[in-house]
Amino acid sequence: LARTYRHTDAVRHLTIEGDTLAARNIWLDILSKDSTYSPALYNLSRTDNNRARGLEYARRAYLSDSTNKWYTANYARRLIDSRNYREAIHIYQHMMRLAPRDIETYHAFSLLYNAMGMPYSAISVLDSAELRMGRHPYLSAIKQGLLLETRQYDRAIEAGEEYIEEYPYDI
């Protein structure tokens, strides 16, 4: 219970008072007593400007609770920041199992594949999102751009026509 109160105090310092240093010191103190306290690890990873240290905090938070969507997404973002794309793919696959209807996950996963030079895999991820959740305007626009990049003009035209049918007033 004391850790929870200390953690709440750190969050107050960060969000209300804007005192990052005080918040970080409280979280580090919590970790000195319990090195697996995932809320402190998560917040330290988000506030740390050092890429390697932030990635390590994110990794430890993820490993302490891999079912937490926030910790998983934070770790995936940190992996991308450190250009560790191969590991990020595995984490995004895990995120898709955790939250199969989260549009942001599909978006980030498709951008990751595209950044790795795998646009067909990116299109496949967006197709999967469309099958699970129906057409989404933002994801449809990304998919159409990828279809044009990969010179799949017939599919791009077909996707555009289907989009117009569903959203006739969206210019």
Side-chain angles (χ1 to χ4, degrees), residues 25-36 60:
N25 288 335
I26 292 170
W27 287 318
L28 289 170
D29 182 52
I30 291 170
L31 289 178
S32 71
K33 293 171 181 65
D34 180 3
S35 64
T36 63
R60 288 173 54 199

Side-chain angles (χ1 to χ4, degrees), residues 122-147:
I123 292 169
S124 175
V125 166
L126 296 172
D127 284 340
S128 175
E130 196 172 290
L131 284 173
R132 288 185 181 190
M133 300 176 289
R135 193 173 316 280
H136 186 274
Y138 186 64
L139 296 180
S140 292
I142 294 169
K143 179 181 169 184
Q144 189 153 24
L146 288 169
L147 289 170

